[in-house]
Every structure is written in C-alpha cells, then in structure tokens.
Amino acid sequence: MRIAVYGKGGIGKSTTSCNISIALARRGKRVLQIGCDPKHDSTFTLTGFLIPTIIDTLQSKDYHYEDVWPEDVIYKGYGGVDCVEAGGPPAGAGCGGYVVGETVKLLKELNAFHEYDIILFDVLGDVVCGGFASPLNYADYCIIITDNGFDALFATNRIAASVREKARTHPLRLAGLVGNRTLKRDLIDNYVEACPMPVLEVLPLVEQIRVSRVKGETLFEMVESQPYLDYVCDFYLDVADQLLSQPEGVVPKEVSDRELFSLLSDFYSNPPRNGMGENDQEDSLDSVTMV
C-alpha cells in the first residue's frame, strides 16, 4: 500500500505522518516513510536528526546509480520505520516532481521500492503545480491533514481537486481527512457535507503533539516517559487500522472557490453563541502546559 499525505503548510503533516508510520509498524507492517520536501525534515521526528537526501547522495556520486547502496539513503527510525528524504532542487530552481521521480527510480534500482508493506509519502504544503502532485502518481490512497480552520480547509479543497484529476488515470482514492490538534470539528463537518469524504480521525488539542516535533520524538516515544499520552497514540492506531482495512475511499468532487469561500466565511460571520471563536479557544488552551 502506498499513501500520500498532503495538507496546508504548517498543519502538522510530518508529525502526523511519523506517528501514523509507527502505528502501521506496530501493526506488524514494514514501513518506509519518504519525505518529499526540500527542507528534508519529514523524518526528523523518527530519526532525531536530518538525514542525507537522495539528491545530495546522487550528486555526490555524479548520478551513478550503481554506486549508491541502500544504506547510503535508507535510515532506520524509531519503531523500526525506515526513512528516506528525497530533498529538492535549490530554492527558485528545478522541480519537486523531478526529485520525487528520481527518488522512486533509485529505490527501484536498489530493489527497495517493493520490499515494504507500506510506503508513505509526506508531501510539502498545498498542491500548486503538477510537480507537487507527482507523489499521487505512485499512491493508492491520499490522506489530507487539516484543522477546523479557514485556510486549512481551503487547501484541503485544492488537494481534493488534485486527487480527482489524478484518479482519472491512476487507481487513486482519497482515504479521508485527519483533523490535527483541533478543539472542535464543526467547520470540518460543514465542509465534508458540501464535499463528501470520510473523516478518519480528529486529534485532540494537545500541546505535546506540537512539542514532539521540536524534541525530535514521536508521541509513541514520548509515552515511554509520559504514560498519560497513551490515549493520543490510540488516535494514530485507529487511523492505521482504517487504512489496513483497505477502505474503498472516494474520488472527491471539490466545491468551487466561490462556494467554499461563502461556506467558510458564513461560518465565521455567525460565530458560536459563547462568543469565542475556535482560534481564540485554541490560543487559550495553547497557553496551558500539561503536566
């Protein structure tokens, strides 16, 4: 199974991807996570350091694929998850899609691409061009990470459009949404009513999810010293179980930009009766440190 994870920049894709990868490994699967971002920090939470990228390694070998060995590019992460960072071209030059293609080509040359039960592509930001959409060419499922906010759901709608477009020529389906660190889900529910798709899980607003990224540890690793976080790991395990059931998924039909803007703006124009918007609630909770 190959899974491509997308979502608005900064929404927590890499943190979520790493924890889902471990959850899948805990279910007995061989998992490879491929970071598809020039920042090459997708797997930092799994390895605790920035591993060398495919592109850097190929450049150091003058693009002689026969001189590259698996241990040059595949690194073992926490929980037995193998990790690869595609890397990317210099800022303002080249195409991210080319880099993803070179990564898959090299892994096939190394006879590694088909050795895993699960390959998870963690893809940067919103889909703004065909290059950023290229991991969908290799995926069976797409997962979109979002929150209960305006910008994230706007990005979700654009990604849904990309999935629909790729599904014309590839056996690709949208497995569903994962809400990350959100107190409420009412705006998410409004969106999926307009653009039907599954909601796999909504992760609670827990500060340690964000802290784990900075510490270079997954929630599964943090729970070893903070057992009260065990219930958060159950959310990721639930997502893993849903994926392993090989869901039918959907080919989404995105809503128009004007319709979506009206849907989301109307929600904010009529705030909850308590007078506190979701962002205010998040800010108030983010100021509380859990002990």
Side-chain angles (χ1 to χ4, degrees), residues 8 22 65 75 79 111 122 132 142 161 164 186 207 226 259:
K8 170 184 168 291
I22 293 180
Y65 287 78
Y75 289 77
N111 295 316
D122 173 23
F132 290 155
C142 174
R164 176 185 54 77
D186 41 8
E207 179 66 9
Q226 302 176 65
E259 182 183 353

Side-chain angles (χ1 to χ4, degrees), residues 32-36 40 42-43 46-47 51-54 70 73-76 81-87 103-104 106-107 112 116 120 122:
L32 172 68
Q33 180 167 321
I34 302 177
C36 304
H40 62 95
S42 166
T43 59
L46 290 166
T47 62
I51 66 176
T53 71
I54 292 278
V73 293
I74 301 174
Y75 289 77
K76 187 68 68 177
V81 176
D82 282 352
C83 303
V84 166
E85 290 286 352
T103 297
V104 172
L106 176 61
L107 291 174
Y116 295 91
L120 187 147
D122 173 23

Side-chain angles (χ1 to χ4, degrees), residues 186-197:
D186 41 8
L187 193 51
I188 294 175
D189 289 337
N190 282 3
Y191 173 69
V192 299
E193 183 177 349
C195 181
M197 62 183 66

Side-chain angles (χ1 to χ4, degrees), residues 44-65:
F44 174 73
T45 310
L46 290 166
T47 62
F49 69 102
L50 296 178
I51 66 176
T53 71
I54 292 278
I55 290 301
D56 289 342
T57 302
L58 285 174
Q59 286 177 341
S60 70
K61 307 284 187 179
D62 292 326
Y63 288 89
H64 291 168
Y65 287 78

Side-chain angles (χ1 to χ4, degrees), residues 20 62 79 81 88 98 108-109 118 142 171 173 175 182 186 192 211:
I20 291 175
D62 292 326
V81 176
Y98 167 79
K108 287 181 176 179
E109 291 277 345
I118 309 284
C142 174
R173 293 294 183 268
T182 185
D186 41 8
V192 299
V211 169

